[in-house]
Amino acid sequence: MKRLFAIAALMIAPSWALADGFCGVTDPAEVFARLAGSWEREGSTSVEGADTSFVRPARVFATRISADGVFQSGFVDSLIGEEVALEWVTPKPYDVDRVDDVLDATERADLADVLSDTRCGPEALPQLQLELPEFEGGVSVFGTITLVPYFDDRVLEISELTLRSDGTVLFMVETVLLQPAN
């Protein structure tokens, strides 16, 4: 009888009651341990400049997070040449409105639906960030990459970068859904 009651309760419970995700998790070691592994990415990139404006699919490359918070991606590795430690961000840069704004800019409002079964907003979720310093060279790229883990199998990656070369400045916003690699 107890088993039947438990099954019935699971069937009628709202989805947020079944999926706590990362709401209220404040221990960096726990977050890094839960995120450790390889991730697949899918999303969009918006690029804006004085004479340029387009949205395209985000580039696909390997992404990996270690249990001690080291972030490795094809993009970051190509710029810095090594993996980078994620920082625990306070104050948190993203609330519901700001996440909605970047999803709109990248024409990926559909990602809000994929993440909407959380019982809290991004301001109650951990936010991890790495800052790309400006490098001198032909084209410099600098800005931030922020990870907002909603669930163990769904992390929102938000990149806000500036690309600068002689006479050109482009602003790039990228929103990517990270999901565990198969």
Side-chain angles (χ1 to χ4, degrees):
M1 184 69 161
K2 285 184 181 180
R3 185 172 182 196
L4 181 61
F5 178 74
I7 291 171
L10 286 174
M11 289 174 52
I12 62 171
S15 62
W16 60 263
L18 303 175
D20 287 340
F22 283 90
C23 289
V25 177
T26 58
D27 179 16
E30 178 185 347
V31 172
F32 294 143
R34 288 172 62 181
L35 294 179
S38 296
W39 297 83
E40 293 178 349
R41 54 194 325 268
E42 191 274 319
S44 295
T45 304
S46 169
V47 177
E48 299 288 331
D51 300 325
T52 305
S53 180
F54 63 87
V55 175
R56 67 169 190 219
R59 291 181 30 210
V60 176
F61 46 78
T63 299
R64 182 161 179 73
I65 301 169
S66 73
D68 58 351
V70 174
F71 182 79
Q72 182 180 13
S73 80
F75 176 69
V76 173
D77 293 353
S78 71
L79 291 175
I80 298 178
E82 61 187 31
E83 35 197 43
V84 178
L86 291 164
E87 300 291 328
W88 194 263
V89 182
T90 51
K92 295 176 181 175
Y94 294 97
D95 60 13
V96 172
D97 292 333
R98 188 148 181 230
V99 167
D100 286 345
D101 289 345
V102 295
L103 291 175
D104 286 344
T106 58
E107 299 176 2
R108 289 310 302 255
D110 63 305
L111 293 181
D113 293 337
V114 173
L115 303 168
S116 67
D117 55 344
T118 184
R119 63 179 173 85
C120 65
E123 58 278 350
L125 296 167
Q127 294 186 25
L128 314 165
Q129 193 171 77
L130 63 96
E131 188 164 333
L132 297 175
E134 185 169 4
F135 294 99
E136 295 301 320
V139 175
S140 61
V141 178
F142 57 95
T144 59
I145 298 173
T146 306
L147 302 182
V148 184
Y150 282 75
F151 300 98
D152 293 292
D153 64 346
R154 287 170 278 167
V155 175
L156 181 62
E157 177 185 314
I158 303 168
S159 301
E160 294 190 274
L161 305 173
T162 300
L163 295 81
R164 187 178 0 209
S165 66
D166 293 337
T168 303
V169 176
L170 299 174
F171 301 99
M172 183 183 95
V173 176
E174 184 173 73
T175 55
V176 172
L177 179 64
L178 296 176
Q179 294 185 294
N182 293 331

Tab-separated table of all heavy atoms in Angstrom, residues 44-87:
chain	number	residue	atom	x	y	z
A	44	SER	N	23.108	29.388	-29.252
A	44	SER	CA	23.214	30.403	-30.297
A	44	SER	C	24.135	31.530	-29.861
A	44	SER	O	24.299	31.784	-28.670
A	44	SER	CB	21.841	30.994	-30.617
A	44	SER	OG	21.001	30.017	-31.162
A	45	THR	N	24.673	32.202	-30.879
A	45	THR	CA	25.577	33.322	-30.663
A	45	THR	C	25.035	34.542	-31.392
A	45	THR	O	24.674	34.458	-32.560
A	45	THR	CB	26.980	32.996	-31.216
A	45	THR	OG1	27.447	31.798	-30.612
A	45	THR	CG2	27.956	34.123	-30.939
A	46	SER	N	24.989	35.660	-30.695
A	46	SER	CA	24.605	36.938	-31.292
A	46	SER	C	25.850	37.813	-31.369
A	46	SER	O	26.578	37.951	-30.386
A	46	SER	CB	23.542	37.618	-30.428
A	46	SER	OG	23.333	38.945	-30.848
A	47	VAL	N	26.099	38.387	-32.537
A	47	VAL	CA	27.236	39.284	-32.726
A	47	VAL	C	26.702	40.624	-33.207
A	47	VAL	O	25.927	40.685	-34.162
A	47	VAL	CB	28.248	38.694	-33.732
A	47	VAL	CG1	29.394	39.662	-33.975
A	47	VAL	CG2	28.767	37.339	-33.242
A	48	GLU	N	27.107	41.694	-32.530
A	48	GLU	CA	26.665	43.048	-32.862
A	48	GLU	C	27.878	43.954	-33.002
A	48	GLU	O	28.814	43.871	-32.207
A	48	GLU	CB	25.757	43.615	-31.762
A	48	GLU	CG	24.487	42.844	-31.514
A	48	GLU	CD	23.463	42.997	-32.617
A	48	GLU	OE1	23.444	44.055	-33.289
A	48	GLU	OE2	22.686	42.057	-32.809
A	49	GLY	N	27.840	44.812	-33.986
A	49	GLY	CA	28.877	45.813	-34.182
A	49	GLY	C	28.300	46.979	-34.954
A	49	GLY	O	27.107	46.989	-35.293
A	50	ALA	N	29.123	47.954	-35.286
A	50	ALA	CA	28.645	49.139	-35.997
A	50	ALA	C	27.991	48.763	-37.326
A	50	ALA	O	26.947	49.305	-37.685
A	50	ALA	CB	29.803	50.102	-36.229
A	51	ASP	N	28.589	47.827	-38.058
A	51	ASP	CA	28.070	47.422	-39.371
A	51	ASP	C	27.694	45.944	-39.415
A	51	ASP	O	27.484	45.393	-40.492
A	51	ASP	CB	29.117	47.686	-40.462
A	51	ASP	CG	29.497	49.153	-40.548
A	51	ASP	OD1	28.612	50.001	-40.333
A	51	ASP	OD2	30.680	49.447	-40.825
A	52	THR	N	27.614	45.317	-38.262
A	52	THR	CA	27.405	43.865	-38.208
A	52	THR	C	26.317	43.532	-37.205
A	52	THR	O	26.275	44.099	-36.120
A	52	THR	CB	28.704	43.159	-37.769
A	52	THR	OG1	29.756	43.548	-38.637
A	52	THR	CG2	28.556	41.665	-37.756
A	53	SER	N	25.445	42.622	-37.596
A	53	SER	CA	24.430	42.134	-36.668
A	53	SER	C	23.917	40.795	-37.192
A	53	SER	O	23.339	40.738	-38.272
A	53	SER	CB	23.272	43.126	-36.550
A	53	SER	OG	22.305	42.624	-35.653
A	54	PHE	N	24.182	39.730	-36.448
A	54	PHE	CA	23.682	38.417	-36.852
A	54	PHE	C	23.608	37.486	-35.650
A	54	PHE	O	24.240	37.725	-34.625
A	54	PHE	CB	24.538	37.803	-37.967
A	54	PHE	CG	25.971	37.531	-37.579
A	54	PHE	CD1	26.337	36.326	-36.971
A	54	PHE	CD2	26.962	38.463	-37.840
A	54	PHE	CE1	27.654	36.070	-36.628
A	54	PHE	CE2	28.282	38.220	-37.498
A	54	PHE	CZ	28.629	37.016	-36.897
A	55	VAL	N	22.797	36.448	-35.814
A	55	VAL	CA	22.693	35.368	-34.832
A	55	VAL	C	22.966	34.082	-35.593
A	55	VAL	O	22.454	33.886	-36.692
A	55	VAL	CB	21.288	35.316	-34.183
A	55	VAL	CG1	21.159	34.119	-33.250
A	55	VAL	CG2	21.000	36.610	-33.430
A	56	ARG	N	23.782	33.236	-34.997
A	56	ARG	CA	24.118	31.954	-35.627
A	56	ARG	C	24.180	30.873	-34.553
A	56	ARG	O	24.278	31.179	-33.357
A	56	ARG	CB	25.448	32.047	-36.360
A	56	ARG	CG	26.601	32.238	-35.382
A	56	ARG	CD	27.944	32.081	-36.036
A	56	ARG	NE	28.947	32.038	-34.989
A	56	ARG	CZ	30.119	32.602	-35.047
A	56	ARG	NH1	30.472	33.257	-36.122
A	56	ARG	NH2	30.960	32.496	-34.051
A	57	PRO	N	24.161	29.620	-34.968
A	57	PRO	CA	24.313	28.543	-33.984
A	57	PRO	C	25.684	28.641	-33.293
A	57	PRO	O	26.671	29.044	-33.923
A	57	PRO	CB	24.229	27.263	-34.815
A	57	PRO	CG	23.500	27.665	-36.054
A	57	PRO	CD	23.889	29.097	-36.310
A	58	ALA	N	25.712	28.300	-32.033
A	58	ALA	CA	26.970	28.312	-31.286
A	58	ALA	C	27.894	27.227	-31.827
A	58	ALA	O	27.442	26.185	-32.294
A	58	ALA	CB	26.704	28.074	-29.803
A	59	ARG	N	29.177	27.480	-31.754
A	59	ARG	CA	30.152	26.484	-32.200
A	59	ARG	C	30.127	25.292	-31.240
A	59	ARG	O	29.919	25.442	-30.050
A	59	ARG	CB	31.550	27.099	-32.244
A	59	ARG	CG	31.645	28.125	-33.360
A	59	ARG	CD	32.981	28.793	-33.523
A	59	ARG	NE	34.106	27.985	-33.132
A	59	ARG	CZ	35.235	28.509	-32.659
A	59	ARG	NH1	35.353	29.801	-32.517
A	59	ARG	NH2	36.237	27.732	-32.334
A	60	VAL	N	30.357	24.139	-31.811
A	60	VAL	CA	30.368	22.911	-31.028
A	60	VAL	C	31.818	22.538	-30.748
A	60	VAL	O	32.631	22.467	-31.668
A	60	VAL	CB	29.666	21.760	-31.791
A	60	VAL	CG1	29.762	20.468	-31.022
A	60	VAL	CG2	28.214	22.137	-32.058
A	61	PHE	N	32.149	22.364	-29.494
A	61	PHE	CA	33.474	21.894	-29.104
A	61	PHE	C	33.365	21.227	-27.747
A	61	PHE	O	32.377	21.383	-27.035
A	61	PHE	CB	34.513	23.029	-29.089
A	61	PHE	CG	34.055	24.277	-28.406
A	61	PHE	CD1	34.037	24.381	-27.028
A	61	PHE	CD2	33.640	25.367	-29.159
A	61	PHE	CE1	33.606	25.539	-26.408
A	61	PHE	CE2	33.220	26.540	-28.545
A	61	PHE	CZ	33.200	26.614	-27.160
A	62	ALA	N	34.378	20.473	-27.422
A	62	ALA	CA	34.382	19.727	-26.163
A	62	ALA	C	34.428	20.680	-24.974
A	62	ALA	O	35.118	21.697	-25.004
A	62	ALA	CB	35.574	18.786	-26.119
A	63	THR	N	33.665	20.355	-23.952
A	63	THR	CA	33.662	21.109	-22.706
A	63	THR	C	33.770	20.100	-21.571
A	63	THR	O	33.102	19.070	-21.581
A	63	THR	CB	32.366	21.929	-22.558
A	63	THR	OG1	32.286	22.851	-23.649
A	63	THR	CG2	32.343	22.701	-21.255
A	64	ARG	N	34.620	20.407	-20.600
A	64	ARG	CA	34.821	19.501	-19.473
A	64	ARG	C	34.981	20.327	-18.202
A	64	ARG	O	35.598	21.385	-18.212
A	64	ARG	CB	36.051	18.638	-19.711
A	64	ARG	CG	36.304	17.634	-18.632
A	64	ARG	CD	37.217	16.513	-19.116
A	64	ARG	NE	37.472	15.565	-18.073
A	64	ARG	CZ	36.592	14.680	-17.612
A	64	ARG	NH1	35.393	14.625	-18.122
A	64	ARG	NH2	36.894	13.852	-16.642
A	65	ILE	N	34.410	19.814	-17.115
A	65	ILE	CA	34.543	20.448	-15.805
A	65	ILE	C	35.087	19.390	-14.854
A	65	ILE	O	34.575	18.273	-14.814
A	65	ILE	CB	33.186	20.978	-15.295
A	65	ILE	CG1	32.608	21.989	-16.288
A	65	ILE	CG2	33.346	21.599	-13.900
A	65	ILE	CD1	31.176	22.385	-16.024
A	66	SER	N	36.119	19.740	-14.102
A	66	SER	CA	36.697	18.787	-13.159
A	66	SER	C	36.035	18.949	-11.790
A	66	SER	O	35.395	19.965	-11.505
A	66	SER	CB	38.207	18.987	-13.036
A	66	SER	OG	38.477	20.166	-12.310
A	67	ALA	N	36.217	17.971	-10.939
A	67	ALA	CA	35.632	17.992	-9.592
A	67	ALA	C	36.225	19.092	-8.716
A	67	ALA	O	35.649	19.439	-7.686
A	67	ALA	CB	35.811	16.631	-8.918
A	68	ASP	N	37.345	19.667	-9.140
A	68	ASP	CA	37.901	20.786	-8.379
A	68	ASP	C	37.644	22.130	-9.057
A	68	ASP	O	38.254	23.136	-8.721
A	68	ASP	CB	39.384	20.569	-8.082
A	68	ASP	CG	40.228	20.375	-9.329
A	68	ASP	OD1	39.667	20.241	-10.432
A	68	ASP	OD2	41.463	20.369	-9.192
A	69	GLY	N	36.708	22.149	-10.031
A	69	GLY	CA	36.265	23.408	-10.617
A	69	GLY	C	37.098	23.935	-11.760
A	69	GLY	O	37.030	25.118	-12.086
A	70	VAL	N	37.866	23.081	-12.402
A	70	VAL	CA	38.657	23.521	-13.550
A	70	VAL	C	37.814	23.334	-14.807
A	70	VAL	O	37.251	22.272	-15.042
A	70	VAL	CB	39.986	22.746	-13.639
A	70	VAL	CG1	40.732	23.100	-14.919
A	70	VAL	CG2	40.845	23.054	-12.425
A	71	PHE	N	37.716	24.399	-15.601
A	71	PHE	CA	36.897	24.434	-16.819
A	71	PHE	C	37.813	24.309	-18.020
A	71	PHE	O	38.808	25.020	-18.144
A	71	PHE	CB	36.141	25.764	-16.869
A	71	PHE	CG	35.231	25.933	-18.040
A	71	PHE	CD1	33.982	25.345	-18.062
A	71	PHE	CD2	35.613	26.717	-19.124
A	71	PHE	CE1	33.115	25.521	-19.128
A	71	PHE	CE2	34.751	26.910	-20.202
A	71	PHE	CZ	33.507	26.303	-20.200
A	72	GLN	N	37.463	23.401	-18.898
A	72	GLN	CA	38.240	23.193	-20.110
A	72	GLN	C	37.284	23.187	-21.291
A	72	GLN	O	36.271	22.485	-21.270
A	72	GLN	CB	38.968	21.857	-20.021
A	72	GLN	CG	39.832	21.535	-21.188
A	72	GLN	CD	40.508	20.184	-21.019
A	72	GLN	OE1	40.158	19.387	-20.163
A	72	GLN	NE2	41.491	19.929	-21.853
A	73	SER	N	37.586	24.007	-22.292
A	73	SER	CA	36.774	24.015	-23.509
A	73	SER	C	37.677	24.333	-24.682
A	73	SER	O	38.717	24.981	-24.522
A	73	SER	CB	35.641	25.038	-23.412
A	73	SER	OG	36.110	26.341	-23.673
A	74	GLY	N	37.269	23.882	-25.849
A	74	GLY	CA	38.037	24.168	-27.051
A	74	GLY	C	38.233	25.661	-27.271
A	74	GLY	O	39.297	26.102	-27.686
A	75	PHE	N	37.204	26.460	-26.962
A	75	PHE	CA	37.279	27.906	-27.161
A	75	PHE	C	38.281	28.550	-26.193
A	75	PHE	O	39.189	29.269	-26.604
A	75	PHE	CB	35.897	28.531	-26.989
A	75	PHE	CG	35.892	30.029	-27.082
A	75	PHE	CD1	36.145	30.660	-28.291
A	75	PHE	CD2	35.647	30.806	-25.962
A	75	PHE	CE1	36.145	32.055	-28.384
A	75	PHE	CE2	35.648	32.191	-26.044
A	75	PHE	CZ	35.904	32.812	-27.258
A	76	VAL	N	38.123	28.263	-24.903
A	76	VAL	CA	39.007	28.863	-23.897
A	76	VAL	C	40.439	28.379	-24.101
A	76	VAL	O	41.388	29.167	-24.030
A	76	VAL	CB	38.507	28.558	-22.467
A	76	VAL	CG1	39.497	29.029	-21.420
A	76	VAL	CG2	37.149	29.208	-22.238
A	77	ASP	N	40.600	27.089	-24.384
A	77	ASP	CA	41.940	26.549	-24.619
A	77	ASP	C	42.618	27.239	-25.796
A	77	ASP	O	43.822	27.501	-25.761
A	77	ASP	CB	41.884	25.043	-24.879
A	77	ASP	CG	41.448	24.257	-23.649
A	77	ASP	OD1	41.320	24.856	-22.565
A	77	ASP	OD2	41.225	23.050	-23.786
A	78	SER	N	41.848	27.553	-26.863
A	78	SER	CA	42.444	28.203	-28.034
A	78	SER	C	42.893	29.628	-27.711
A	78	SER	O	43.827	30.135	-28.329
A	78	SER	CB	41.471	28.203	-29.211
A	78	SER	OG	40.396	29.095	-28.979
A	79	LEU	N	42.236	30.290	-26.748
A	79	LEU	CA	42.622	31.657	-26.373
A	79	LEU	C	43.738	31.688	-25.347
A	79	LEU	O	44.704	32.431	-25.475
A	79	LEU	CB	41.415	32.409	-25.804
A	79	LEU	CG	40.301	32.747	-26.764
A	79	LEU	CD1	39.140	33.378	-26.015
A	79	LEU	CD2	40.793	33.686	-27.851
A	80	ILE	N	43.564	30.890	-24.298
A	80	ILE	CA	44.489	30.950	-23.165
A	80	ILE	C	45.565	29.878	-23.260
A	80	ILE	O	46.667	30.050	-22.758
A	80	ILE	CB	43.705	30.829	-21.836
A	80	ILE	CG1	42.745	32.012	-21.712
A	80	ILE	CG2	44.633	30.778	-20.642
A	80	ILE	CD1	41.874	31.983	-20.483
A	81	GLY	N	45.232	28.760	-23.897
A	81	GLY	CA	46.200	27.685	-24.037
A	81	GLY	C	46.200	26.705	-22.878
A	81	GLY	O	47.041	25.820	-22.817
A	82	GLU	N	45.258	26.879	-21.974
A	82	GLU	CA	45.173	25.964	-20.830
A	82	GLU	C	43.792	26.042	-20.209
A	82	GLU	O	43.018	26.953	-20.494
A	82	GLU	CB	46.231	26.290	-19.784
A	82	GLU	CG	46.085	27.688	-19.222
A	82	GLU	CD	47.236	28.090	-18.309
A	82	GLU	OE1	48.362	27.625	-18.532
A	82	GLU	OE2	46.992	28.875	-17.387
A	83	GLU	N	43.496	25.081	-19.350
A	83	GLU	CA	42.228	25.093	-18.638
A	83	GLU	C	42.267	26.191	-17.573
A	83	GLU	O	43.336	26.658	-17.181
A	83	GLU	CB	41.965	23.720	-18.016
A	83	GLU	CG	43.221	23.072	-17.541
A	83	GLU	CD	43.107	21.591	-17.302
A	83	GLU	OE1	42.518	20.852	-18.086
A	83	GLU	OE2	43.660	21.190	-16.277
A	84	VAL	N	41.082	26.619	-17.125
A	84	VAL	CA	40.969	27.752	-16.212
A	84	VAL	C	40.055	27.371	-15.044
A	84	VAL	O	39.041	26.695	-15.245
A	84	VAL	CB	40.372	28.976	-16.949
A	84	VAL	CG1	40.205	30.152	-16.020
A	84	VAL	CG2	41.232	29.353	-18.142
A	85	ALA	N	40.400	27.831	-13.863
A	85	ALA	CA	39.567	27.558	-12.688
A	85	ALA	C	38.337	28.462	-12.705
A	85	ALA	O	38.435	29.663	-12.962
A	85	ALA	CB	40.354	27.781	-11.406
A	86	LEU	N	37.169	27.859	-12.443
A	86	LEU	CA	35.932	28.627	-12.313
A	86	LEU	C	35.907	29.309	-10.957
A	86	LEU	O	36.341	28.734	-9.953
A	86	LEU	CB	34.720	27.703	-12.439
A	86	LEU	CG	34.474	27.114	-13.822
A	86	LEU	CD1	33.514	25.935	-13.744
A	86	LEU	CD2	33.918	28.186	-14.747
A	87	GLU	N	35.393	30.511	-10.923
A	87	GLU	CA	35.267	31.267	-9.673
A	87	GLU	C	33.815	31.287	-9.233
A	87	GLU	O	32.914	31.399	-10.067
A	87	GLU	CB	35.761	32.708	-9.862
A	87	GLU	CG	37.217	32.805	-10.277
A	87	GLU	CD	38.179	32.384	-9.185
A	87	GLU	OE1	37.858	32.581	-7.995
A	87	GLU	OE2	39.241	31.843	-9.534
